[in-house]
Amino acid sequence: MAFARTCSVALVGVEGVVVEVQADLEPGVATFTLVGLPDKSLTESRDRVRAAVVNSGADWPQKKLTVGLSPAAVPKSGSGFDLAVACAVLGAAERIDPRSIAELMMLGELGLDGRVRPVRGVLPAVLAAADAGYRHVVVAEEAVPEASLVPDVTVLGVRSLRQLIALLNDETIPEETPPEGLPPEETEPGRSPSALAPPGQGWTAPGIVRRTEHPLDMADVAGQTTARRALEVAAAGRHHIFFKGPPGAGKTMLAERLPGLLPPLTSQESLEVTAVHSVAGALPPGQPLISRSPYCAPHHSATMASLVGGGSGLPRPGAVSMAHHGVLFLDEAAECSARVLDAMRQPLESGHVVVARASGIMRMPARFLLVLAANPCPCGRHGMKSGGCECRPASIRRYRARLSGPLMDRVDLRVHVKPLSRSELAGLHGESESSATIAERVLTARERAADRFAHTPWTANSDVPGHELRTRWPPEPGALNRAEEDMERGLLTARGMDRVLRVAWTVADLAGHDRPTAQDVEWALELRTGIRRGMPAPAATAPVPEKQP
């Protein structure tokens, strides 16, 4: 009997489970059995591995071959086990030393010609390997930058199984045609594989920075003073926001510029976001790390699975997870399925989504900033001065009812976006502030909140439970009088009262106040209920004054 083992990683959502790949050879009829709860794509690896081994110049063992994936109770899917299976078989056949692969973690798909191809989810897989104590990882050469984001892990990048066999046996490394998409310095003639490069330095390694397009600027937005201030409050406190207004008023334009107001992601947030996008296969080539807040805007016809996650077999991340630590924008929200919209209620509260299927349960992060936009009626002209709305009252009620009360109760800011006047469109009211100017105020407000919540599990005002705000960080005496009156009149729920207090703290942080004042609470109430309170917004969020002629 001949035996060899190596390791790989099975992904369950965005979390990795270390899998031991064992190969056993016994005398008997030549067969290849793969056990350990593999799915269809993994079962097909038997043919891929056999062809890759033969085309790499190695002999396929003509014995009874059994490959086991342990633990057997964990569902395993995808082609990322190919490289580990091939090396375990070669180790059992003594083509390579079994001891040389016992402590290696291998991730890669094999082509029939023996080439090693990258797979999805390299970053969370390497993170799982590092947590399990593995310090040497073998991946496709294209995946080396992504795998190197994990500190204290040595990464070996190979182009083919033939090269890996030569490296493990201390033989001459054969040349291979470089894969497409590598930088020029990685494709020089005669260059050998990455060959146990130094351990990764983590997310701050030089050159590991995602290159993104210049964000859209708020200076392009004409008018909409109230909506601009509300967007600043949303960015500073990470509050969900709802824009309601006729077509062409600028709702989408405002939402698209929200990511440019958010602070850069921290190192931990960058790794979390990159892990989700890696599992979804959405990382651009040559850009292994996401350092800016993501922006996801699915179409209003999106299904439940595409929004919250799901699909056949093990669930995949949906739009709420792709927008983790970023912005999820639902345009034409009233056209979305009410069932799909209500599915977001749980992740809005908890910051994660749990998808249960017969094949397994997946827990994915989903702490996003929600932006909803909708017209006032199906035709969009209800309430306009020019009139022209021909929608029946029953049709308007059905249209608005798709945004359920429990969902809207979780939305902190509700803003009516009015059509622009001719003077606003012509820029006669002065220049608009740029995104950079607003982002500075947002960053200052975030820092004030972070200092206040030091040594607590919270980082933003929207995360803090209302009980904690009322007891540990209360507003000025009498500041909540108007909010308490609205609650007694039924205009606010208990959850709404807590959210008004959170928004008031964000307004206070933007204005530089130590505690929310009555004016801060009034502005928060206006943003929450949409009812004009007759008091101006705090000076820190006031618009740029008009230019003097």
Side-chain angles (χ1 to χ4, degrees):
M1 181 184 72
F3 176 83
R5 58 174 289 275
T6 187
C7 291
S8 189
V9 175
L11 290 176
V12 182
V14 295
E15 298 178 355
V17 178
V18 175
V19 174
E20 187 176 273
V21 181
Q22 305 169 339
D24 175 72
L25 282 175
E26 294 182 355
V29 179
T31 57
F32 187 176
T33 304
L34 184 64
V35 297
L37 209 58
D39 73 342
K40 179 66 175 177
S41 62
L42 184 51
T43 302
E44 293 174 348
S45 68
R46 295 178 300 182
D47 299 321
R48 291 194 301 270
V49 169
R50 182 187 292 108
V53 168
V54 172
N55 290 327
S56 298
D59 295 330
W60 184 259
Q62 299 301 315
K63 295 182 180 181
K64 181 181 178 181
L65 171 61
T66 303
V67 174
L69 308 176
S70 178
V74 176
K76 304 165 189 72
S77 61
S79 57
F81 295 89
D82 289 1
L83 190 59
V85 171
C87 288
V89 172
L90 292 172
E94 298 183 350
R95 176 63 177 85
I96 57 179
D97 186 355
R99 293 172 297 179
S100 66
I101 61 174
E103 300 300 325
L104 289 181
M105 181 70 63
M106 301 188 182
L107 302 165
E109 175 186 336
L110 286 177
L112 299 183
D113 59 352
R115 289 188 178 275
V116 181
R117 303 180 183 277
V119 294
R120 295 188 296 183
V122 169
L123 176 59
V126 177
L127 286 170
D131 291 341
Y134 290 87
R135 292 295 175 261
H136 304 289
V137 179
V138 181
V139 297
E141 196 167 21
E142 301 97 316
V144 169
E146 182 181 349
S148 299
L149 294 174
V150 182
D152 303 324
V153 172
T154 301
V155 180
L156 169 63
V158 294
R159 297 176 183 173
S160 67
L161 179 61
R162 186 183 299 107
Q163 287 186 339
L164 180 57
I165 295 172
L167 283 166
L168 295 175
N169 291 333
D170 292 328
E171 300 172 354
T172 302
I173 301 174
E175 293 187 1
E176 298 283 0
T177 304
E180 296 181 1
L182 282 183
E185 61 270 15
E186 300 288 338
T187 59
E188 296 175 359
R191 177 184 172 90
S192 64
S194 300
L196 290 180
Q201 300 300 313
W203 80 283
T204 55
I208 309 300
V209 179
R210 186 181 183 191
R211 299 173 179 84
T212 56
E213 296 181 1
H214 191 274
L216 301 175
D217 202 308
M218 286 289 290
D220 301 332
V221 180
Q224 304 301 356
T225 302
T226 300
R228 290 169 60 93
R229 298 182 200 168
L231 207 63
E232 181 177 344
V233 173
R238 207 160 59 203
H239 302 288
H240 308 305
I241 187 170
F242 171 53
F243 289 128
K244 177 183 176 182
K251 303 185 295 294
T252 303
M253 193 175 187
L254 287 163
E256 290 176 341
R257 284 151 178 79
L258 179 55
L261 307 183
L262 300 177
L265 299 177
T266 64
S267 59
Q268 181 63 32
E269 291 171 346
S270 293
L271 289 176
E272 292 177 8
V273 173
T274 303
V276 174
H277 284 243
S278 177
V279 170
L283 285 179
Q287 299 179 1
L289 184 70
I290 297 178
S291 57
R292 296 293 304 179
S293 299
Y295 175 81
C296 188
H299 192 260
H300 62 261
S301 62
T303 62
M304 177 83 72
S306 66
L307 191 65
V308 301
S312 59
L314 284 175
R316 294 288 176 84
V320 296
S321 297
M322 296 292 288
H324 183 53
H325 289 310
V327 177
L328 176 64
F329 176 47
L330 294 182
D331 201 3
E332 305 295 344
E335 298 290 349
C336 298
S337 166
R339 179 170 170 267
V340 172
L341 289 174
D342 285 339
M344 293 192 300
R345 286 154 54 179
Q346 182 257 342
L348 283 175
E349 286 288 333
S350 62
H352 63 267
V353 59
V354 178
V355 181
R357 296 290 185 270
S359 56
I361 298 177
M362 178 182 65
R363 183 182 186 274
M364 294 174 293
R367 189 168 298 280
F368 56 91
L369 200 166
L370 177 64
V371 181
L372 299 172
N375 297 328
C377 68
C379 75
R381 301 186 62 81
H382 181 75
M384 294 183 64
K385 293 181 180 180
S386 59
C389 177
E390 299 179 354
C391 300
R392 297 180 178 179
S395 176
I396 297 176
R397 285 195 299 270
R398 285 194 302 269
Y399 182 80
R400 295 178 178 177
R402 294 185 182 179
L403 300 175
S404 66
L407 173 64
M408 294 305 298
D409 203 30
R410 290 167 168 81
V411 178
D412 300 342
L413 314 177
R414 306 171 189 179
V415 182
H416 180 64
V417 183
K418 299 180 180 180
L420 293 176
S421 64
R422 184 177 63 179
S423 60
E424 288 175 329
L425 191 60
L428 300 181
H429 290 275
E431 295 182 357
S432 299
E433 285 184 305
S434 66
S435 293
T437 302
I438 301 175
E440 290 180 3
R441 293 200 299 265
V442 169
L443 181 59
T444 301
R446 287 280 188 105
E447 291 173 347
R448 289 176 61 90
D451 292 341
R452 184 167 61 252
F453 302 137
H455 310 297
T456 71
W458 312 297
T459 57
N461 291 319
S462 60
D463 301 332
V464 187
H467 172 73
E468 296 290 338
L469 284 179
R470 290 190 299 271
T471 56
R472 297 177 61 179
W473 299 287
E476 290 185 353
L480 290 176
N481 289 344
R482 182 67 67 86
E484 293 170 351
E485 293 175 1
D486 284 357
M487 187 175 177
E488 292 178 356
R489 294 163 55 192
L491 296 177
L492 282 178
T493 63
R495 180 190 289 121
M497 182 69 169
D498 289 343
R499 292 186 177 274
V500 166
L501 186 55
R502 295 170 186 167
V503 174
W505 264 109
T506 301
V507 174
D509 288 337
L510 286 168
H513 299 158
D514 293 332
R515 299 167 65 185
T517 63
Q519 183 183 7
D520 296 331
V521 176
E522 291 280 353
W523 176 230
L525 275 173
E526 181 176 333
L527 291 175
R528 172 73 184 182
T529 63
I531 300 175
R532 187 71 177 175
R533 302 288 168 164
M535 296 185 69
T541 58
V544 175
E546 300 180 15
K547 287 186 175 181
Q548 297 297 327

